Amino acid sequence: MQDSPSFAQYMILALCLVLGAISTALASPLYALYVSAWQISTSEIGYAFIAYMLGVVFTLLFLNGWIGRYGYKRTVVRGLIASILGLVFSAFSADIWQLCAARFLIGISSGLLCTATVIGLAHKYPFSKPHQAGKLSSLITVVGFGLGPILGGVLADQFAAPLITPYLVIASLSLLVLIACYFVQAPLPNHNSGKISLWSTPVLQDDRRLFWVCAVISACCFAAFSLYAALAGTFLKELPLKSSATLTGSAISLILLVSFLAQLSSKFWREITCLKLGGIGLSLGCLCLFLAQATHQFSFLALSVILIGLGHGYSLNPAYFFIGKLVKKQHSGVLSSFLLIAYQGTIWPILLSSLIIDYFNVLTSVAVFAILIFILVAWVFIQLPKLHLDEQKPIL
């Protein structure tokens, strides 16, 4: 059943998505502080980041039936509760393993919120052109991920307890939004639709090829951003700069600010054109990151941030647009499968990069990462001519 549009309820769900994304990205500028405070290695910090993604994957594999069984509102509420618990647990973690457990819980929250709020936002979409709901949800997500690092960095630098205060501030805001969720009206769930296959891809061959193109380019986006989210502090230490949590958070947030602007401007381009621009941006951004580490030039790092931001925005916007159309053809299991593949980009490349840094050096790690992105983007470019899409009209 399609519930009636409501701007106020839409905004509450949007805040749920924003706070869920903030909770996810909040720890990124703090990782370098953990290394100093706990005397741990880069790969151990990588474990904390990966623990979060394992929580997301766990949710997509085993909890994706909750939306059908309990409805999107109850799923959002449970996601927010998990986020608040994960944030409080993070604030009082005493070692890397406790932090990993907290990040795993936040990953579960993120997995629930990413799927449930997107569905809820589509149901409550109060504007004209409802087919644009998926793109606006993507923009809202980017806003949350962009605010997370900068808030984490600023709060860490401004307060005496940098590894405690950021988490408690966001947990308090999340509690307020959790209370506001009471005012969201949602249809009763269809209990017979609660069981969803763990793996669901489109039936038609053309749709399946489009699904994989979107999933792979999204995996590249998440991998490039996650590399900065997990290791930005390590990259900045290699450059002649005075490092701080605010600087680290600003570098991460700048990627998503550029991504946000790119998504806004993508309405002037066709979807396939955006995918091509995104793939080129991601590839060149990784190349510039390698050059930054090789030459110790800040200009290359700044250019890398901008290019990866452009690649992130131009790739994700059409990817979510196409996946939204495929979900309407089938069911929400396609969205879970898409996210399951895309989020692999935030696990294995980051784990590999962290281990290579520990056993070799940063330059080797970035080189291997860049080669991996080049290969995946090349595969996407090979598949694009095989897609049978209507290229006569722009996105809007």
Side-chain angles (χ1 to χ4, degrees), residues 127-160:
F127 311 109
S128 60
K129 300 181 180 178
H131 62 282
Q132 300 291 334
K135 292 183 180 180
L136 186 54
S137 297
S138 175
L139 286 173
I140 294 170
T141 305
V142 168
V143 168
F145 278 115
L147 288 174
I150 190 65
L151 286 175
V154 171
L155 290 172
D157 283 340
Q158 297 301 317
F159 289 89

Side-chain angles (χ1 to χ4, degrees), residues 360-379:
F360 296 96
N361 52 49
V362 174
L363 185 62
T364 303
S365 175
V366 174
V368 172
F369 183 89
I371 291 172
L372 177 62
I373 294 296
F374 289 158
I375 292 173
L376 292 175
V377 170
W379 180 86

Side-chain angles (χ1 to χ4, degrees), residues 51-70:
Y52 153 76
M53 289 314 311
L54 292 177
V56 175
V57 171
F58 174 85
T59 302
L60 295 175
L61 283 174
F62 303 111
L63 303 180
N64 65 350
W66 279 16
I67 299 174
R69 189 176 300 117
Y70 303 112

Side-chain angles (χ1 to χ4, degrees), residues 73-208:
K73 176 182 174 179
R74 290 185 181 179
T75 305
V76 167
V77 167
R78 294 178 184 192
L80 276 177
I81 292 173
S83 177
I84 293 168
L85 293 175
L87 288 167
V88 173
F89 194 9
S90 297
F92 297 105
S93 295
D95 56 43
I96 187 61
W97 303 115
Q98 291 182 17
L99 181 64
C100 285
R103 295 297 297 169
F104 182 81
L105 190 57
I106 291 176
I108 291 177
S109 163
S110 180
L112 293 174
L113 291 174
C114 280
T115 51
T117 52
V118 168
I119 292 173
L121 289 171
H123 281 215
K124 294 294 183 181
Y125 192 76
F127 311 109
S128 60
K129 300 181 180 178
H131 62 282
Q132 300 291 334
K135 292 183 180 180
L136 186 54
S137 297
S138 175
L139 286 173
I140 294 170
T141 305
V142 168
V143 168
F145 278 115
L147 288 174
I150 190 65
L151 286 175
V154 171
L155 290 172
D157 283 340
Q158 297 301 317
F159 289 89
L163 300 181
I164 296 177
T165 304
Y167 297 114
L168 296 184
V169 169
I170 302 304
S172 300
L173 294 175
S174 298
L175 181 60
L176 293 176
V177 175
L178 176 63
I179 296 171
C181 285
Y182 173 80
F183 298 100
V184 175
Q185 298 177 351
L188 293 175
N190 181 3
H191 295 282
N192 294 327
S193 65
K195 188 175 181 181
I196 297 177
S197 173
L198 294 180
W199 180 254
S200 179
T201 57
V203 176
L204 298 178
Q205 182 179 359
D206 287 344
D207 288 347
R208 191 179 299 116

Side-chain angles (χ1 to χ4, degrees), residues 21-35 45 48-49 52 99 103 106 144-153 156 162-163 166-167 225-234 236 244-253 256:
I22 288 175
S23 302
T24 294
L26 190 68
S28 296
L30 308 181
Y31 288 140
L33 301 181
Y34 283 117
V35 171
I45 279 298
F49 188 85
Y52 153 76
L99 181 64
R103 295 297 297 169
I106 291 176
F145 278 115
L147 288 174
I150 190 65
L151 286 175
L163 300 181
Y167 297 114
F225 172 71
S226 298
L227 186 71
Y228 271 93
L231 303 174
T234 301
L236 291 172
S244 68
T246 300
L247 178 62
T248 302
S250 298
I252 300 168
S253 294
L256 293 174

Side-chain angles (χ1 to χ4, degrees), residues 237-250:
K237 284 183 179 179
E238 298 289 316
L239 301 176
L241 295 170
K242 183 180 180 181
S243 183
S244 68
T246 300
L247 178 62
T248 302
S250 298

Side-chain angles (χ1 to χ4, degrees), residues 278-295:
I280 292 171
L282 291 171
S283 301
L284 293 179
C286 291
L287 175 61
C288 287
L289 179 59
F290 171 79
L291 293 175
Q293 300 305 308
T295 64

